[in-house]
Amino acid sequence: MRPMTSPPLLSPSPSRLLRRILSRAPSRRNPTTPPPLAPHLGRRLSLLLPASMSSSSTRTPESVVADADALARKVAAIRAAGAAKLQVIADFDGTLTRYWYDGCRGQSSHALLRQGNEEFDAKREELFEHYHPIEINPDILLPEKAKLMEEWWGKSHGLLIEGGLTREAINKSVADAPIAFRDGVVELFEFLEARDIPVLVFSAGLADVIEEVFRQKLHRSFKNIKIVSNRMVFNEEGRLVAFKGKTIHVLNKNEHSLDMAAPVDNSPEDPNGSTEDYSLVKKRTNVLLLGDHIGDLGMSDGLNYENRIAAGFLNTNIEKSLKDYSEAFDIVYLDDAPMWGVVELVSDLCP
């Protein structure tokens, strides 16, 4: 959806504002990520940027901004409107969570799941081997690809039901999985919760698994955070028997799927657990979007936003992908960076 025109610059000059946004992030690095970019790559970053990134571009070792003036205008407009107009939309895997874990590729919320039945785990892996190449094939038209993704998700969900997935298996899968949140995620959530800024976490995975990751890895809940993902139905014995509502896959995870949202908190008496009704969330027309794939920009589809700042995490293949990412996102955090840069950004949006 085409955003409305942003108002003119309302606060400090672009260069001074962006220096503050980009230079204050702590220098500490996630100890489980690979080492920093090699010096030769750091020197070559400017050669990889689009032509528009010349004298107006701004860069630190962990982030790239292609158009400093445009970002400054968005920051100024969102800041002037105040926290009451802001919402955060975030992808889960590879965005809130680390790409690397103890030097190895961390698992996604979908890949970590083990049913306790090797036959059905193997069948789901076979589905991945068949459909994943289709998912990443740029030559397949989106309508056709969407049908195939719906087919993949349906078959995978059917195997989870047929294979007798249990809540206990989910809990054990998460406990055993190499998955962790980025440094700074808790501080980001605390900052947003203190200001009643809603966070919508969109995922094509499994909401029940993601919620268990929140419980086990963060050890606390946040009433302002909602998971928008595929939600399971369990019987009294704790066995999976169905999925609720429509299927959310990689090509339709956006604000049209808000009816699938549920809170990350421990209040069973309140199935919504939100600080406000979703009709009000949709009235929050300033958006901070966090993602690790260019396709994640579609998460704001369905929202008639006025201003959107898109922050992208480019976790790997930096030389190959930096140009595309820097053209798509307002700011790009490099090399599996921690969340501190986003914490500093929101502190400027909502001082």
Side-chain angles (χ1 to χ4, degrees), residues 8 11 25 62 78 81 90 105 115 118 132 135 168 190 203 230 234 237 259-260 266 277 279 293 296 347:
S11 62
E62 286 186 343
I78 294 175
R105 175 70 173 92
Q115 295 180 237
E118 293 184 1
H132 182 62
E135 176 189 355
E168 182 181 357
E190 289 174 343
S203 175
N230 297 292
F234 294 88
E237 287 76 38
D259 58 313
M260 298 292 289
N266 301 314
D277 183 81
S279 63
H293 291 290
D296 288 335
S347 71

Side-chain angles (χ1 to χ4, degrees), residues 90-92 94-98 180-182 185 189 201 214 339:
D91 172 57
F92 184 74
T95 299
L96 296 180
T97 61
R98 302 171 185 166
F181 287 93
R182 295 181 188 273
V185 163
F189 290 163
V201 178
F214 268 85
M339 194 62 71

Side-chain angles (χ1 to χ4, degrees), residues 211 214-215 220-223 225-227 262-266:
E211 289 166 355
F214 268 85
R215 279 189 285 269
R220 62 156 296 179
S221 59
F222 297 89
K223 280 186 173 286
I225 299 178
K226 291 261 192 161
I227 306 297
V264 180
D265 92 338
N266 301 314

Side-chain angles (χ1 to χ4, degrees), residues 165-292:
L165 179 68
T166 64
R167 288 190 183 275
E168 182 181 357
I170 292 175
N171 296 345
K172 186 177 187 306
S173 295
V174 172
D176 295 342
I179 187 171
F181 287 93
R182 295 181 188 273
D183 284 355
V185 163
V186 171
E187 288 79 0
L188 174 64
F189 290 163
E190 289 174 343
F191 182 94
L192 297 171
E193 183 181 47
R195 289 155 181 80
D196 290 328
I197 297 172
V199 180
L200 300 177
V201 178
F202 285 83
S203 175
L206 301 166
D208 304 79
V209 175
I210 294 171
E211 289 166 355
E212 189 60 30
V213 174
F214 268 85
R215 279 189 285 269
Q216 292 194 28
K217 307 302 181 181
L218 295 187
H219 307 293
R220 62 156 296 179
S221 59
F222 297 89
K223 280 186 173 286
N224 63 317
I225 299 178
K226 291 261 192 161
I227 306 297
V228 184
S229 188
N230 297 292
R231 192 158 297 280
M232 300 175 176
V233 179
F234 294 88
N235 63 16
E236 294 180 356
E237 287 76 38
R239 292 174 64 91
L240 176 65
V241 295
F243 282 82
K244 291 182 181 178
K246 60 189 175 186
T247 300
I248 299 175
H249 54 72
V250 290
L251 296 181
N252 71 348
K253 58 174 189 177
N254 54 49
E255 293 225 1
H256 291 299
S257 303
L258 281 177
D259 58 313
M260 298 292 289
V264 180
D265 92 338
N266 301 314
S267 303
E269 71 280 0
D270 180 5
N272 294 316
S274 59
T275 56
E276 58 183 310
D277 183 81
Y278 271 98
S279 63
L280 300 179
V281 170
K282 289 191 173 184
K283 292 180 181 178
R284 289 177 175 260
T285 52
N286 290 326
V287 176
L288 173 61
L289 184 148
L290 310 176
D292 71 314

